[in-house]
Amino acid sequence: MLVRFKSKAAAEVLMYEAHAKRILDLLHKDVKMGIITAAEAPHAVARLEEEIAESRKHPASEEVEHDIEMHHNEKGDDNEHEQIQVVTFATRAYPLLEMLRAAQRGGYDVMWGV
């Protein structure tokens, strides 16, 4: 499922529910429907920035790297598996973070599921 974030401050942001859930759990919000008010936006921005900074401290684990190496030869060729393209938490969260920043500046709410 997709979650569609809306605000008068910015263009809509679409996100897979699984990725939106991680962000909204940080903010103690329900993924199905909710609102981040203009008054809550500063806290939401700060919390999300904090989590992004923390996620950047921990690169891909050795287990993931080992898994990739086990499925590819020394040249990187693999006829059965495609190489994993890692999309970081920071990359996934950035559009919503920018929407929250714009909402904070403009005094607008951010809504989803409505």
Side-chain angles (χ1 to χ4, degrees):
M1 294 286 300
L2 292 175
V3 177
R4 184 181 310 263
F5 293 94
K6 301 176 187 178
S7 177
K8 290 182 179 180
E12 290 183 352
V13 172
L14 288 174
M15 193 178 294
Y16 284 113
E17 186 174 324
H19 303 298
K21 183 172 178 8
R22 178 173 178 200
I23 294 169
L24 294 172
D25 283 350
L26 291 171
L27 305 175
H28 307 290
K29 299 287 185 176
D30 182 21
V31 73
K32 297 295 181 190
M33 183 186 307
I35 186 169
I36 297 171
T37 65
E40 294 173 317
H43 170 72
V45 167
R47 182 67 186 105
L48 199 47
E49 287 174 341
E50 179 182 298
E51 186 67 18
I52 288 170
E54 184 64 28
S55 73
R56 287 183 173 155
K57 292 180 185 177
H58 307 286
S61 72
E62 290 180 28
E63 292 176 341
V64 172
E65 290 177 21
H66 176 73
D67 186 52
I68 292 170
E69 288 175 23
M70 294 303 295
H71 289 101
H72 300 277
N73 65 26
E74 55 277 347
K75 293 181 183 178
D77 299 331
D78 184 2
N79 295 328
E80 296 180 26
H81 299 281
E82 292 185 26
Q83 289 190 353
I84 295 173
Q85 299 292 321
V86 177
V87 179
T88 66
F89 175 74
T91 300
R92 292 190 195 284
Y94 183 77
L96 183 57
L97 177 60
E98 284 300 299
M99 176 184 269
L100 286 167
R101 287 175 177 157
Q104 179 182 352
R105 285 190 303 271
Y108 295 107
D109 299 338
V110 174
M111 299 173 283
W112 61 97
V114 292

